[in-house]
Amino acid sequence: MDYIRGLHNCTGFTPGSPTGFRAARDKNFSRVESLRLTNIYVALERNVVTRQRPGTHDLRASMSILASARCVEYLDRVMEVDHYENFPVASILLPKRLRAPVGVIYHVARTADDIADEGVFDPAERHARLADFRAGLDAVAAGQPAPVHPMLFEKLAGTVSQYGLPLGPFYDLVSAFDQDIDTTRYADWPALMDYCRRSANPVGRLMLHLFHASTPENLADSDAICTALQLINFWQDVGIDWKKSRIYMPLCDLERFGVTERHIDEQICDDAWRALMRHEVDHARAMIVGGAPLAVRMPGRFGLELCSVVHGGLRILEKIEQADYDVFRKRPVLKGPDWVVIGMRSLAMRLRGRVGVQLRSVES
């Protein structure tokens, strides 16, 4: 699942204490930078958490995407999925009562993704195994024992029953994984957005349902953030995806800007490529900024966490621009100084109640 793996690239930090974040696996994050960033979050928590109105602590459960996208330390210990270290999480921000259901959601998504993308199976076998997995979801819906992965689906059935989760998002994930086996190009934006709707958005939607916060406004903003993060990962990993024979940029955009697959194969970064990348970066930036109101209206550490995710994604886009759009030779990664910038911008976002980013017009 490119969305799950890509979140770490945009927001790859993990909480090291209740009062601050440490860089995840970044050897360049100095002790001074770590202390500076921790102080930023301490100051923010004092301004945000202590000023909540009586009873608003219950709204921590209304956070969306980050409850699912930020708990890998906890989940890796529980499920021993050590090769999924790129799934960033913040178990410290999850209420203890919700860690088990989040773990089940994560395990279901990872298992289905492995069927589609791991191992040495041929496409026909992957499709067949995903069909079996879909039959497991059917069994959960019917209240029957699953024919495959019986323990996993038994846990899912209990979680769905206890928390009233819809099964639709799980079917969407399986559908997207199934599509990823054969589909390596997207003709236009509607086709790519339909893929993102099923591959990126379900996790955020499930978390909103889990936290009883699935209002239309929250769902729309969560979808925007989830899809934008996936797009950012696509733009960041053009070269990596090419090695898998995949291009996620809409082909209509390549044609519009005079870019061919030869540009990617030979890593040509000319004016045409830069114009294409500028357009794609602007599109993703507008989308994630469009979903940012979810972060500013959510109180406490969950709101702070989502502000950081938004600015983590925006920082990756900045670094693509700083590299003059040459993602082949200068694939953007976040280092120590970037986290200080993200922390300061998250603080400003929380205090001002807006993301504070100027957008260029995006021509369709």
Side-chain angles (χ1 to χ4, degrees), residues 2-13 70 86 88 225-237 284 288 305 307-317 319-320 331-335 338-339 342:
D2 288 320
Y3 164 67
I4 290 180
R5 292 169 181 162
L7 274 170
H8 175 74
N9 298 329
C10 297
T11 60
F13 53 87
R70 311 272 257 129
N86 281 355
I225 293 173
C226 289
T227 293
L229 288 174
Q230 184 161 45
L231 293 179
I232 293 168
N233 182 232
F234 290 159
W235 310 162
Q236 179 186 26
D237 285 345
I288 199 168
E305 180 83 357
C307 287
S308 300
V309 165
V310 169
H311 279 289
L314 291 171
R315 187 62 173 172
I316 288 289
L317 296 178
K319 292 179 78 72
I320 292 175
R331 181 180 177 276
V333 294
L334 298 178
K335 299 181 178 180
D338 296 309
W339 298 116
I342 291 168

Side-chain angles (χ1 to χ4, degrees), residues 6-70:
L7 274 170
H8 175 74
N9 298 329
C10 297
T11 60
F13 53 87
T14 316
S17 73
T19 57
F21 296 140
R22 58 176 170 81
R25 305 171 182 86
D26 186 351
K27 304 301 184 183
N28 295 317
F29 202 115
S30 71
R31 181 174 181 274
V32 172
E33 290 163 342
S34 180
L35 288 173
R36 288 173 63 190
L37 186 55
T38 296
N39 288 337
I40 289 171
Y41 281 102
V42 168
L44 181 54
E45 288 168 8
R46 288 174 179 171
N47 275 280
V48 175
V49 178
T50 61
R51 292 182 184 179
Q52 294 181 24
R53 298 184 303 276
T56 58
H57 62 279
D58 293 334
L59 292 177
R60 293 171 73 246
S62 65
M63 204 48 198
S64 67
I65 178 176
L66 275 238
S68 67
R70 311 272 257 129

Side-chain angles (χ1 to χ4, degrees), residues 176-195:
F177 298 153
D178 205 39
Q179 178 174 317
D180 239 355
I181 297 171
D182 300 316
T183 303
T184 60
R185 304 290 188 276
Y186 291 86
D188 49 33
W189 276 100
L192 182 60
M193 289 298 96
D194 179 66
Y195 170 73

